[in-house]
Amino acid sequence: MTSKTQALPLVEPVAINRSAWPRRLKGLVLPVLILLVLEVVVRVGWLPSYQMPAPSEIAVTLTDLAEGSLWKHISASLGRVLLGFAIGASLALVFAAWVGLSREAEAYLEPTFAGLRSIPSLAWVPLLLLWLGIDETSKIVLIAIGAFFPVYLNGVAAIRDIDRKLVEVGQMYGFSRWRLVRRILLPAALPGLFTGLRSGLSLAWMFLVAAELIAATKGLGYLLSDGRETSRPDIVLAAIIVLASLGKVSDGLLATLEKRCLAWRDTFQGAGQ
């Protein structure tokens, strides 16, 4: 007696790929609506233009800045964020692995880190200026501090949330310590690590603005300060839009890397299309 098995057609991946672009376009609905409402409200006169310029005026300002010094400010800020984030995230991953794998290390380090992460970003600025001056080093160190703690916290949590049974299975099969980390601990902790990296990157942009608002001669934070001092809200809003765009692009790149590294997961993606 023979039994025939019918292979199910792979319909779902195609449907997911086809619905990717419509989902992305849906994300533009709210920003476009906000821009249209602001344009109408400012043009009608319900909001004074010297406080809230119309989106069309901000677009003109962005065009003028792009033809001038905008790229110089973007490159300065982007270089600081990338370097500071790389330093802070690298150190955070090292300490997260150490504390996550060793209760002895947790006993020594966790109380100090718990106190340090409660210090506001602006509280670091005068101390770093006194120690390191107004050069690039103080800005990069401040950004590294901002990126460190989210990556560290999520890294420790990701390691401690690993199912103990997985570790016991690896030990039962005689895995060495390095093989246990590479084959079990790292794949199981990757989702939490990527969450920490994305949170750390967003905080790196926030700490960048804190550094450049106080001691900088170029950068998007400096552009914000310059717009405030010259009473140009269009420049301030243009700088905010550029910061938001850069933050979205950088987070999107990390999200794409996360999807590729975690393509093996079969997780719930939400209901509906």
Side-chain angles (χ1 to χ4, degrees):
M1 183 175 180
T2 61
S3 61
K4 296 181 181 180
T5 58
Q6 295 181 352
L8 295 176
L10 298 177
V11 178
E12 284 191 32
V14 177
I16 290 174
N17 289 334
R18 286 179 178 174
S19 63
W21 275 109
R23 282 205 309 271
R24 292 172 185 173
L25 291 176
K26 289 176 184 177
L28 296 175
V29 172
L30 184 58
V32 170
L33 282 177
I34 292 174
L35 291 176
L36 290 175
V37 170
L38 283 176
E39 185 75 28
V40 172
V41 166
V42 174
R43 294 299 178 186
V44 170
W46 292 345
L47 275 177
S49 58
Y50 66 87
Q51 288 184 344
M52 181 65 207
S56 57
E57 296 177 13
I58 299 172
V60 172
T61 301
L62 272 172
T63 304
D64 294 339
L65 288 171
E67 295 174 353
S69 59
L70 180 61
W71 301 111
K72 178 187 72 173
H73 296 302
I74 290 177
S75 61
S77 294
L78 191 59
R80 290 164 183 157
V81 166
L82 291 178
L83 184 55
F85 174 72
I87 295 172
S90 299
L91 291 173
L93 290 175
V94 171
F95 280 103
W98 189 13
V99 172
L101 295 172
S102 171
R103 291 192 176 275
E104 192 73 13
E106 180 184 20
Y108 281 106
L109 298 177
E110 181 56 30
T112 301
F113 286 163
L116 290 175
R117 68 173 174 262
S118 64
I119 300 175
S121 59
L122 290 178
W124 289 103
V125 174
L127 186 61
L128 292 176
L129 291 178
L130 286 173
W131 284 353
L132 304 173
I134 61 174
D135 294 334
E136 293 296 302
T137 306
S138 59
K139 302 176 184 61
I140 292 170
V141 170
L142 182 62
I143 295 167
I145 291 172
F148 178 89
F149 290 107
V151 180
Y152 167 78
L153 284 175
N154 283 276
V156 172
I159 295 172
R160 292 294 174 87
D161 286 343
I162 296 173
D163 192 344
R164 181 171 53 86
K165 296 183 181 64
L166 294 176
V167 180
E168 292 175 352
V169 168
Q171 292 172 343
M172 185 177 64
Y173 277 95
F175 282 11
S176 65
R177 188 175 183 85
W178 166 243
R179 193 180 182 191
L180 187 69
V181 170
R182 183 170 58 89
R183 298 294 298 274
I184 294 180
L185 297 182
L186 183 59
L190 268 182
L193 292 179
F194 271 108
T195 300
L197 288 172
R198 293 176 67 178
S199 301
L201 185 57
S202 65
L203 268 185
W205 284 106
M206 296 180 192
F207 273 60
L208 165 83
V209 175
E212 290 183 342
L213 276 173
I214 295 174
T217 57
K218 58 182 178 179
L220 295 171
Y222 168 78
L223 198 61
L224 283 168
S225 180
D226 183 63
R228 175 183 59 82
E229 292 175 358
T230 56
S231 299
R232 292 283 305 275
D234 54 331
I235 293 179
V236 173
L237 289 168
I240 291 174
I241 290 172
V242 174
L243 280 167
S245 301
L246 289 173
K248 178 69 177 87
V249 169
S250 58
D251 181 73
L253 292 175
L254 264 182
T256 302
L257 180 62
E258 179 182 10
K259 286 181 181 179
R260 293 197 175 189
C261 293
L262 301 177
W264 49 269
R265 289 195 306 169
D266 186 14
T267 55
F268 178 63
Q269 300 297 320
Q273 295 181 352

